[in-house]
Amino acid sequence: MVVIAAFLGCLMFLPAWLVEHAVGERAAAALTAADRLQAENDVRSTLLQGLGGLLALGGIALGAAATMRQVHISREGQFIDLFTKAIEDLASDKLSVRHGGVYAMEQIAETAPHYRGHVAALLASFVRQQAPWPKTASADADAVRPAHHAELPDDVAGAMGALARRTMVLPGTGIELEKVDLRGAELSRFDLSGFCFADANLADAKLAACDLTDTTFSGAGLRGADLKGARLTRADLRGADLTGADLSDVVGLETVITDSLTTGLPADLGVRVRAADDQ
């Protein structure tokens, strides 16, 4: 109401003031009443046209804001649908469908950053469920991976690759992969820094040139693993078994954390030993 009153007041008195100041007091006084009224009405008409333009722009802005909100709601709904469908695919009995679900999750993480933490947690959980250690897999799963040195199933390998690309890994967070069966897995050159493989089985795994900085291998089996050229800076190897592992050209081996249960490291290696009760 105050705004309307102020606007009406401007329409009543502002035109007369503008006419007087535009032509000067003497010239304004010389104008006939009709001419002065016409000039004031012309000013009012201009003010009303300007107001109409402002209102039109305001309407366009409000409409655009409403449209953008609707687009955002629609887009978020699409992401929810895609996310739900990807979860269903990960739970499928068919390996190919699960494999597709893994890459759908990675695509969601790339296009919807606010889903990244959820995607990372789901893919890590997926690996733990599909490749548990000690093995609890069904006979069907064993048929997919019959031999000790066989590569990972496509779905698990795809999940490991997606996690290693770190699209969905939030800064300062790790990936929990405790008690997983990654025997013979091809993980060369992966960025697994900060991951946790506690009590996992990575026997004969290919970890050459991997970034394993701050990675946890406590209690893990790394027998025969290929670690050539890997970076093990500050890796936690307490209780890990590296018997027969290829440690040639490993970077940061002098910084790893070990304890009396760590086996397979060179006897003359001056590694830093931390007992669990010293942490």
Side-chain angles (χ1 to χ4, degrees):
M1 293 298 292
V2 175
V3 174
I4 295 175
F7 177 70
L8 291 176
C10 288
L11 283 181
M12 289 293 295
F13 303 107
L14 186 59
W17 182 85
L18 289 174
V19 169
E20 184 173 326
H21 282 75
V23 301
E25 293 183 4
R26 292 184 178 180
L31 290 174
T32 65
D35 290 339
R36 186 181 183 91
L37 181 60
Q38 181 62 45
E40 291 177 2
N41 286 337
D42 289 342
V43 172
R44 289 190 180 93
S45 177
T46 302
L47 289 174
L48 288 173
Q49 290 175 2
L51 176 63
L54 289 175
L55 291 175
L57 289 175
I60 292 173
L62 289 174
T67 300
M68 290 300 295
R69 178 176 174 78
Q70 188 61 40
V71 168
H72 176 75
I73 293 173
S74 176
R75 185 176 176 83
E76 187 64 24
Q78 291 176 354
F79 282 133
I80 291 173
D81 291 342
L82 291 172
F83 193 65
T84 302
K85 178 63 167 59
I87 291 175
E88 293 174 354
D89 288 347
L90 290 179
S92 172
D93 293 333
K94 297 181 178 180
L95 185 147
S96 60
V97 176
R98 297 196 301 270
H99 195 194
V102 167
Y103 288 111
M105 281 290 184
E106 186 173 20
Q107 186 64 37
I108 291 170
E110 290 177 352
T111 55
H114 55 295
Y115 277 91
R116 289 177 180 173
H118 303 298
V119 171
L122 279 169
L123 289 185
S125 176
F126 175 77
V127 174
R128 293 195 301 270
Q129 291 176 3
Q130 294 298 320
W133 184 261
K135 289 187 69 64
T136 59
S138 65
D140 290 340
D142 285 338
V144 174
R145 190 182 180 193
H148 177 83
H149 293 285
E151 294 182 357
L152 295 176
D154 288 344
D155 54 349
V156 177
M160 288 301 300
L163 290 168
R165 285 187 286 274
R166 308 185 79 89
T167 302
M168 69 287 296
V169 181
L170 299 176
T173 63
I175 299 297
E176 304 298 325
L177 294 173
E178 304 94 336
K179 297 182 179 181
V180 294
D181 182 7
L182 298 177
R183 291 172 296 163
E186 176 55 71
L187 306 173
S188 299
R189 300 185 181 280
F190 279 15
D191 182 357
L192 304 175
S193 57
F195 281 35
C196 179
F197 294 103
D199 298 314
N201 191 342
L202 292 100
D204 300 302
K206 282 66 173 180
L207 295 163
C210 278
D211 187 351
L212 302 173
T213 302
D214 296 315
T215 299
T216 298
F217 291 106
S218 58
L222 289 157
R223 281 177 169 265
D226 180 6
L227 289 159
K228 184 176 181 179
R231 181 176 295 277
L232 278 168
T233 306
R234 297 183 303 277
D236 186 350
L237 298 176
R238 287 176 293 181
D241 182 3
L242 292 95
T243 304
D246 185 351
L247 299 173
S248 56
D249 300 322
V250 167
V251 177
L253 196 56
E254 71 282 357
T255 70
V256 299
I257 303 170
T258 66
D259 63 10
S260 59
L261 299 178
T262 303
T263 58
L265 289 177
D268 58 348
L269 181 67
V271 296
R272 178 160 47 103
V273 179
R274 291 185 181 180
D277 56 2
D278 290 337
Q279 299 301 305

